[in-house]
Amino acid sequence: MKLTLTEFVSLDGVCQSPGAPDEDTTDGFTQGGWFVPHMDAGFVDQAAQWLAQADGLLLGRRTYEAFARDWPQITDPDDPFTALMNSLPKYVASQTLAEGTWNPTTVLSGDVAARVAQLKARPGRELQIHGSARLAGSLLAAGLIDELRLVVAPVVLGRGRRLFPAGGAPAGLRLADSKATGGGLAILVYENAGIPAYATYTGASDVG
């Protein structure tokens, strides 16, 4: 299976608590819900297309517990995500969680990168990470994420958990697609390109 990451980020890279004020208040974060005002039909259509490609969801413990609490409560029959989110196989990376409550769930403990590599080797379409920034960072460093889908909101938050914190492992990426929505979201799709390339600019002839 192809491993993809979908992440909502601010212009300054914050990914914490995009969906609601009380979603994640860790470290006193008070600006939750910053992504919601920019959602529009173009974003919903793109996100629904991505989710329709999933054969499984891979989540960190914090994101899993928030999703397990919230998604089963959504009863809108026209919501394009609810049925799939609740029915897809869920894999949660955790060294402390004994079992899941949002079925079907499998807990991945021990060497999570190795367990994820085993999942990727299975036949199927996509294993999708949603949110779960710490898990995503470790799997990107391990070279396991094939595609990053970043949805950038036009807001600067100044503080909060960042998708790419200082000290993270370098990674080269290749832009595969980009578009903007009417609500001002920039949708950027990157493919993993391995180790970053480096060079010295000596003049216009260096530009390909």
Side-chain angles (χ1 to χ4, degrees):
M1 285 190 285
K2 178 180 178 180
L3 181 59
T4 67
L5 167 66
T6 299
E7 195 80 45
F8 305 154
V9 296
S10 67
L11 280 172
D12 54 340
V14 174
C15 59
Q16 184 173 355
S17 194
D22 59 351
E23 181 181 357
D24 180 2
T25 58
T26 303
D27 298 326
F29 188 68
T30 60
Q31 300 183 76
W34 49 269
F35 184 83
V36 178
H38 306 287
M39 295 173 63
D40 61 7
F43 160 75
V44 171
D45 181 65
Q46 178 62 83
Q49 290 180 44
W50 285 336
L51 186 61
Q53 301 174 46
D55 282 334
L57 304 176
L58 174 61
L59 306 168
R61 180 191 57 81
R62 191 193 307 273
T63 302
Y64 174 83
E65 290 178 340
F67 282 11
R69 177 194 66 215
D70 297 338
W71 279 106
Q73 307 306 315
I74 298 177
T75 57
D76 181 357
D78 296 322
D79 184 88
F81 311 112
T82 304
L84 278 174
M85 292 295 290
N86 286 321
S87 63
L88 282 167
K90 270 76 72 173
Y91 302 92
V92 53
S94 176
Q95 306 298 337
T96 60
L97 195 65
E99 60 182 14
T101 58
W102 186 28
N103 292 319
T105 290
T106 300
V107 177
L108 305 180
S109 58
D111 188 340
V112 171
R115 299 286 302 276
V116 171
Q118 292 172 352
L119 289 174
K120 286 190 61 180
R122 295 181 180 180
R125 297 175 300 168
E126 292 186 2
L127 179 62
Q128 296 186 352
I129 306 170
H130 291 261
S132 310
R134 291 191 180 97
L135 173 64
S138 67
L139 296 180
L140 183 62
L144 291 171
I145 296 180
D146 301 300
E147 185 171 285
L148 288 75
R149 297 160 178 170
L150 305 183
V151 187
V152 185
V155 58
V156 175
L157 298 173
R159 60 168 301 193
R161 188 180 307 110
R162 284 172 166 77
L163 175 59
F164 302 118
L173 302 172
R174 181 184 303 108
L175 184 64
D177 191 23
S178 64
K179 65 184 72 172
T181 72
L185 297 171
I187 299 176
L188 306 173
V189 179
Y190 292 97
E191 297 172 345
N192 193 335
I195 300 172
Y198 303 96
T200 299
Y201 178 75
T202 62
S205 60
D206 292 332
V207 180

